[in-house]
Amino acid sequence: MPHRARDLAEPHPNGMGACAGEALITRDASTSWMLITTLAIAILFGALSLAGCDTRSGSPSRRATPAATGEHVYYTYPTGITLPSGASKPTGGEVAALDTGTGAMAWRRPTGTPLFKPNEINHVVYVSSYSDDPRASTLDALDPRAGKAIWSHTTQGTFANPPVVVDGTIYVSASQQDSTGGFTGIVQALGERDGALRWQISTAGTPSPAAVDGKTVYVAAMGSPLSDSSLLALDAGTGHVRWRYVSTAQLSTLDPRRGPSDALLPPAPIAGLVITISTIRDSHGFAIQSVLALDAGSGKPRWQYSTGGIVGAPVIAHGALYISADIVEGNGSYSTLVALRITDGALLWRRDAGSDHAAQVLVTDMAFAEGAEGQGSPSEPRLLVIESHVTQGTTTAAMVGLSPSDGHARWTISIGRGSIGAPLLTGDFALIQALDQSAPNRGTVRMLAIQPSDGTVRWRQDIGDWPTFNDATPWVVGGSIYDTVTSYSGNTPRVFLIALRISDGARQWQWHVGSP
């Protein structure tokens, strides 16, 4: 069972980091650390898509990374050659700018193999990519009107996270494998106008995304299973280390539920604290994760709350931290959801997921929806929880709207058979990408718009086929939601970028990826 938080005068020996993948039913020591290594390698050497950071949360934001502003939506995709086996081998990539209203091609240009969705920030498009020989990552700053290069910056290693742009400075981080099989990292600060290097530091492990709070930058570095991890507080102007917290546990870098496409968790500076997640193994080899709060000024531990299991990314809102943990009991597991007070880690409430003892119920995602103007009066905030119910090998998904003050369920709706994505919050809606699985290897990908106040489904739209052969993480900008979907002609998949109107789900346009 979770333990009540306590104040700590010295670094706690049971601080933690991250491990384990999406299979959360049984675990042992070797499996847990193997999954950490697998996820880390996938993060470093694959083409990934990471969401940005919500300013209220230490988790990757459940609001998708903006890839469209103003006139264009930007999309990157790998290009390559077809092998004799029929598989595709990436040899580079392209970035395309499409008209937001019509989907017509505005411009395109070649890149390295894509790493993350492009961002347009302050009228500059940032594209991250990597090359195989030599292993290096490049950040290109492009003019959004014609795609011409403004500047380009290359870093040895593979970018571990998308760039973070704050107050005229761009923070990038990369990691590479050393001769011992471990990973070393580098964090760099670049000038927003010219890409010039302002400072850089090395880390003993894979660095997390930077979290900037005023004049301080916080970065966690995940060491290998046999080495220390650390959390650094850096001067934003010089990169000077203000303090360093070192732990034998793994710190804050893998969200085990999201997998490699959304796995790196930044620290969360809030209310004079820095919140991180740490992982240890118990006497049976099971991974146990805790919420750890450090003093933002000194790096000394203030409180720690052990969940007793494997956690997902936390959600922070209105002075509380909400986090779910999967608890192993016997040959099965279940999820528990807790709310902690930020200032001291006190337990505000706890809720065990599901009431059907015949089913395994796991929390897979959360989001905090503010109260919105509804039918003439403001609605209450809701903690939106995605639950996966497994009964006799059949998986169904549901969304539950909880009262954040006490954890009581205000409504529950069934979403579909199979997996479900994280809620994307926009205006009065929570947008959900769900799978309705009709056969073991076939299904329909569907988008739903749900009203957080009462769970009303405002619209639903079938958008493509499953399985998908692309990064299927949707993103929201303005009045549209964009997604990549797969459409089959017989057994041949074709990948499209689509735009749906948020107000009613109408398909505005679609673009066959790679076409003129």
Side-chain angles (χ1 to χ4, degrees), residues 2-160:
H3 306 292
R4 187 175 180 85
R6 55 193 177 279
D7 290 329
L8 302 177
E10 299 296 335
H12 194 278
N14 292 345
M16 315 183 303
C19 57
E22 294 182 359
L24 299 171
I25 298 178
T26 60
R27 303 179 183 88
D28 58 35
S30 61
T31 300
S32 295
W33 293 122
M34 179 181 70
L35 286 168
I36 290 178
T37 304
T38 301
L39 281 174
I41 292 173
I43 291 168
L44 298 174
F45 298 110
L48 310 176
S49 172
L50 289 173
C53 281
D54 191 309
T55 56
R56 297 178 308 158
S57 172
S59 70
S61 172
R62 292 306 179 244
R63 302 172 192 269
T65 302
T69 57
E71 298 180 356
H72 299 149
V73 55
Y74 305 97
Y75 188 73
T76 51
Y77 51 94
T79 57
I81 60 174
T82 301
L83 303 177
S85 63
S88 177
K89 179 183 179 181
T91 58
E94 287 186 329
V95 55
L98 309 175
D99 185 276
T100 54
T102 65
M105 175 75 68
W107 54 261
R108 79 167 101 199
R109 62 174 288 139
T111 70
T113 302
L115 279 167
F116 315 110
K117 282 189 176 75
N119 282 343
E120 183 181 346
I121 303 172
N122 297 334
H123 307 293
V124 176
V125 179
Y126 295 99
V127 178
S128 304
S129 63
Y130 74 93
S131 60
D132 283 322
D133 188 22
R135 174 65 61 173
S137 297
T138 299
L139 179 64
D140 291 311
L142 308 178
D143 184 332
R145 293 168 294 183
K148 294 182 179 180
I150 301 172
W151 53 259
S152 183
H153 173 79
T154 299
T155 298
Q156 291 303 306
T158 302
F159 286 146

Side-chain angles (χ1 to χ4, degrees), residues 90-454:
T91 58
E94 287 186 329
V95 55
L98 309 175
D99 185 276
T100 54
T102 65
M105 175 75 68
W107 54 261
R108 79 167 101 199
R109 62 174 288 139
T111 70
T113 302
L115 279 167
F116 315 110
K117 282 189 176 75
N119 282 343
E120 183 181 346
I121 303 172
N122 297 334
H123 307 293
V124 176
V125 179
Y126 295 99
V127 178
S128 304
S129 63
Y130 74 93
S131 60
D132 283 322
D133 188 22
R135 174 65 61 173
S137 297
T138 299
L139 179 64
D140 291 311
L142 308 178
D143 184 332
R145 293 168 294 183
K148 294 182 179 180
I150 301 172
W151 53 259
S152 183
H153 173 79
T154 299
T155 298
Q156 291 303 306
T158 302
F159 286 146
N161 322 293
V164 175
V165 183
V166 180
D167 293 336
T169 301
I170 303 171
Y171 301 94
V172 297
S173 56
S175 185
Q176 58 186 341
Q177 195 166 18
D178 59 27
S179 58
T180 66
F183 291 91
T184 59
I186 186 172
V187 179
Q188 298 178 322
L190 312 176
E192 184 178 8
R193 302 180 99 183
D194 56 9
L197 179 65
R198 293 180 175 175
W199 55 259
Q200 69 179 32
I201 65 163
S202 298
T203 61
T206 303
S208 74
V212 183
D213 186 18
K215 297 182 179 181
T216 305
V217 179
Y218 299 96
V219 176
M222 183 187 69
S224 68
L226 300 179
S227 64
D228 292 342
S229 294
S230 58
L231 197 154
L232 307 175
L234 310 173
D235 183 280
T238 65
H240 174 74
V241 178
R242 292 180 171 173
W243 54 257
R244 183 193 311 264
Y245 174 81
V246 179
S247 173
T248 56
Q250 295 286 301
L251 287 177
S252 188
T253 47
L254 291 179
D255 177 354
R257 296 182 180 164
R258 302 297 299 163
S261 68
D262 198 13
L264 293 172
L265 298 181
I270 186 171
L273 301 172
V274 182
I275 309 294
T276 187
I277 304 297
S278 62
T279 304
I280 61 168
R281 291 180 293 170
D282 65 14
S283 59
H284 301 288
F286 293 133
I288 305 296
Q289 294 194 309
S290 295
V291 181
L292 174 63
L294 306 178
D295 186 278
S298 66
K300 293 183 178 180
R302 290 272 294 272
W303 58 262
Q304 184 168 344
Y305 183 94
S306 177
T307 65
I310 294 290
V311 305
V315 171
I316 296 175
H318 299 297
L321 181 148
Y322 305 93
I323 195 164
S324 64
D326 295 319
I327 312 297
V328 176
E329 286 189 353
N331 292 324
S333 64
Y334 68 94
S335 283
T336 185
L337 180 65
V338 297
L340 306 176
R341 190 165 57 208
I342 286 290
T343 53
D344 58 6
L347 178 64
L348 300 176
W349 52 260
R350 168 179 170 166
R351 177 182 185 269
D352 291 337
S355 57
D356 183 2
H357 298 291
Q360 180 190 34
V361 182
L362 299 175
V363 173
T364 59
D365 267 300
M366 291 189 297
F368 191 93
E370 299 283 0
E373 295 293 332
Q375 301 297 320
S377 62
S379 60
E380 297 178 0
R382 289 286 181 261
L383 185 64
L384 305 180
V385 176
I386 305 299
E387 293 182 346
S388 177
H389 297 245
V390 183
T391 307
Q392 297 180 346
T394 301
T395 301
T396 57
M399 176 185 273
V400 184
L402 303 179
S403 169
S405 61
D406 55 19
H408 289 165
R410 297 299 188 241
W411 51 262
T412 301
I413 59 172
S414 178
I415 299 297
R417 293 166 291 179
S419 60
I420 183 172
L424 301 177
L425 305 178
T426 175
D428 294 340
F429 294 157
L431 302 173
I432 292 292
Q433 183 199 66
L435 166 65
D436 193 356
Q437 192 168 347
S438 57
N441 296 314
R442 281 290 183 268
T444 300
V445 180
R446 181 170 295 149
M447 191 71 68
L448 300 92
I450 298 168
Q451 190 166 290
S453 58
D454 57 11

